[in-house]
Amino acid sequence: VRLRDPLQRNTSLITLIVIVVVCLVSLGISTDSFSVSPRAVGQSIFGTIERGFSAVGGFFARTVTSVRELRNLRAEYNDLVEQLRTSERIAGDVEALERENARLRDVLGFSESLEIENLPARVIAKEPGSFFAGLTINKGSGSGIRRNMPVVANQDGKTGLVGRVTDVGLASSVVMPLFDARSYVAARLDRSRHEGLVRGLGASTNMLRMDYVSEDARPYLQAGDLVITSGMRSIYPEGIQIGIVNAIMGEAYETSLRIDIIPIVDLSRLEYVFVLEVAD
Amino acid sequence: LRRGAVLVAIVIAAGAAALQSTVLSFLAIRSVQPDLVLVVVIFVANRNGSLMGQITGLGAGVVLDLIGTSPLGLYALIYTVIGAVFGVTRGKMFVDPVFMPILFALAALLIKGLLGLILGGLYGIAGLSEWILSSNFAIEIGYTAVLCPVVFGLLRLVRILRPERRRGEGF
């Protein structure tokens, strides 16, 4: 009963299918156009399946290949990044070396251009104590440095006085800068030729003051005038630039003027100096 | 007196001086650097007492006098006195990691300034009083005080600078 139930229920459908199939076969035979061969059907079915498999297989193959390529690309990318970093580092080093080279050429050129015999030296340290502002250079008695030798530097195309050597070791020396309050230099105003004495105002100001300039010089002076060494009974040779006049002070009843001077050389960015070999 | 500890303390102070003259000059504020040597002296004095503080101060001061343009004996005297003064504080006060080191640095720098003024006046050392009375000295005080707790923290790691316990002394 159970087996017959579905047949009984779908009788019409089954009948329809049978009729349609019979008709189609009959039609094909009668018109001689029955071209569906089992081989072709099998080929079509298997072809479709094969295409499906091929597509799926291709997809997986491409995916695996892509993953492998991605891994290779990542490795190549990392290599390239590393190479780029190395190149940048080398380029930075080359740039720094070129700058250093240019600086050293400047130093060498300047050293040769100075009329006075000189010893180029590098500033290697600054005074650790706070009260004073000495500089330590990398040349000592072994290089021919002696106490009280004048020290100059070339900065922004100008040659300026830095100070004098106060202590000498075998391979290093200490330079007392011009603005130290214990430093005195016989000086002259370059334009008016008036003389005076330049002293440092101490490490707290980094400024200089020129004293003992005659009151008569006032009409001939102005801010911006150049002050140079006079060479008068001094350890410093004549004609070295000291600084620029910043302010002129002095009351009418005073016999001399006080002139504030800005040093030519900025010690805070000093790298190389030249110790002048002058006769004792 | 522990000779090894004194030697190590002086070497550390000399190292601080070398640091000040080279690396710290690049970190200077308006050309003013912190006084790390002074911090080393007050640390050693506070931990080990007046005698070791004085000797460390003397050694550190002589180093500063020798490598700079200061008159020989100026820093030696100032740092010796500071070492002696701060040695008195040994075991008498609790030194926390931050507040007390700052207070110590402020007090030590004020003593340094005062002694500088006195010695500058007595010996006619040009430029000394001007520097102490300038804003630069205020910067030095502030800069050193800020760094003092850090330096104290580092020095606490140096085993040999730790104080010896006196007989019968507890924690």
Side-chain angles (χ1 to χ4, degrees):
Chain A
V1 175
R2 275 183 191 170
L3 280 172
R4 288 176 65 185
D5 277 347
L7 287 173
Q8 281 175 348
R9 270 187 291 159
N10 298 314
T11 304
S12 60
L13 180 64
I14 292 165
T15 308
L16 177 66
I17 290 170
V18 170
I19 291 168
V20 167
V21 169
V22 170
C23 288
L24 284 172
V25 170
S26 167
L27 198 61
I29 292 168
S30 62
T31 56
D32 201 21
S33 61
F34 194 78
S35 59
V36 180
S37 71
R39 177 182 287 271
V41 172
Q43 189 71 40
S44 299
I45 293 167
F46 279 103
T48 306
I49 293 170
E50 276 173 349
R51 279 220 314 249
F53 270 99
S54 175
V56 172
F59 170 75
F60 279 110
R62 279 196 302 276
T63 305
V64 170
T65 307
S66 298
V67 169
R68 195 183 300 127
E69 278 177 1
L70 194 64
R71 202 169 53 222
N72 292 341
L73 280 173
R74 186 175 292 278
E76 278 177 27
Y77 171 79
N78 288 337
D79 285 350
L80 286 172
V81 167
E82 189 55 40
Q83 280 177 22
L84 186 66
R85 280 184 189 146
T86 309
S87 300
E88 280 174 351
R89 205 163 41 237
I90 290 169
D93 288 349
V94 168
E95 206 174 306
L97 282 171
E98 279 174 355
R99 278 200 304 270
E100 178 76 8
N101 198 339
R103 264 201 304 271
L104 289 171
R105 277 177 194 280
D106 285 348
V107 169
L108 188 65
F110 177 73
S111 174
E112 286 169 356
S113 72
L114 273 176
E115 290 172 3
I116 306 167
E117 282 290 306
N118 64 84
L119 295 159
R122 188 170 186 195
V123 177
I124 54 170
K126 294 181 178 173
E127 184 155 345
S130 52
F131 294 150
F132 305 101
L135 304 169
T136 305
I137 58 173
N138 68 342
K139 293 275 172 67
S141 58
S143 306
I145 305 280
R146 298 184 307 278
R147 275 195 76 189
N148 289 329
M149 278 179 143
V151 179
V152 298
N154 183 32
Q155 209 169 54
D156 303 329
K158 293 177 185 168
T159 305
L161 191 62
V162 172
R164 65 183 170 91
V165 176
T166 52
D167 295 288
V168 184
L170 193 63
S172 66
S173 306
V174 177
V175 177
M176 180 191 282
L178 208 55
F179 59 71
D180 191 293
R182 298 164 292 172
S183 168
Y184 291 89
V185 186
R188 188 194 302 278
L189 285 145
D190 193 36
R191 199 166 55 85
S192 72
R193 311 306 288 172
H194 284 91
E195 289 179 355
L197 190 66
V198 170
R199 64 183 170 92
L201 292 180
S204 57
T205 63
N206 295 357
M207 290 280 284
L208 310 172
R209 178 159 293 165
M210 191 172 184
D211 293 318
Y212 310 117
V213 178
S214 170
E215 172 66 30
D216 301 337
R218 190 188 281 271
Y220 307 102
L221 302 181
Q222 62 186 48
D225 279 355
L226 184 64
V227 180
I228 59 172
T229 53
S230 71
M232 298 278 283
R233 279 184 285 176
S234 169
I235 57 170
Y236 302 103
E238 186 183 353
I240 301 172
Q241 295 184 14
I242 295 173
I244 302 290
V245 171
N246 184 47
I248 302 158
M249 297 162 294
E251 302 299 331
Y253 55 82
E254 290 176 326
T255 55
S256 63
L257 299 171
R258 296 187 309 280
I259 302 171
D260 275 354
I261 298 169
I262 301 168
I264 289 280
V265 179
D266 177 7
L267 260 66
S268 65
R269 54 190 184 96
L270 201 57
E271 285 181 273
Y272 294 96
V273 295
F274 303 88
V275 185
L276 303 182
E277 292 196 69
V278 288
D280 288 329
Chain B
L1 184 71
R2 295 180 298 149
R3 287 178 195 165
V6 171
L7 194 67
V8 168
I10 292 172
V11 168
I12 290 174
L19 204 66
Q20 277 176 218
S21 66
T22 52
V23 181
L24 281 182
S25 61
F26 296 107
L27 303 174
I29 300 171
R30 279 179 49 191
S31 301
V32 180
Q33 305 155 27
D35 194 343
L36 299 186
V37 179
L38 185 75
V39 175
V40 174
V41 171
I42 57 180
F43 177 86
V44 172
N46 171 256
R47 284 298 181 98
N48 296 279
S50 275
L51 183 58
M52 194 158 152
Q54 286 170 48
I55 295 171
T56 306
L58 175 69
V62 167
V63 168
L64 288 183
D65 284 332
L66 286 177
I67 61 177
T69 59
S70 62
L72 189 61
L74 177 70
Y75 285 116
L77 181 55
I78 291 173
Y79 285 49
T80 302
V81 172
I82 289 172
V85 169
F86 278 85
V88 177
T89 64
R90 182 195 177 188
K92 290 194 172 62
M93 51 183 73
F94 171 72
V95 182
D96 70 310
V98 179
F99 181 70
M100 285 309 287
I102 290 175
L103 205 64
F104 279 170
L106 294 174
L109 278 154
L110 289 177
I111 295 171
K112 177 185 168 183
L114 189 65
L115 289 172
L117 281 175
I118 293 168
L119 293 171
L122 279 176
Y123 290 91
I125 304 168
L128 200 53
S129 56
E130 287 85 348
W131 201 93
I132 292 164
L133 298 174
S134 73
S135 59
N136 286 6
F137 189 52
I139 294 171
E140 186 187 12
I141 292 174
Y143 205 171
T144 309
V146 167
L147 284 184
C148 194
V150 180
V151 181
F152 262 50
L154 291 172
L155 290 173
R156 279 194 184 101
L157 302 175
V158 183
R159 190 182 292 265
I160 198 166
L161 295 183
R162 287 176 190 164
E164 274 184 333
R165 268 189 295 157
R166 291 170 182 158
R167 190 175 294 173
E169 201 174 58
F171 287 102

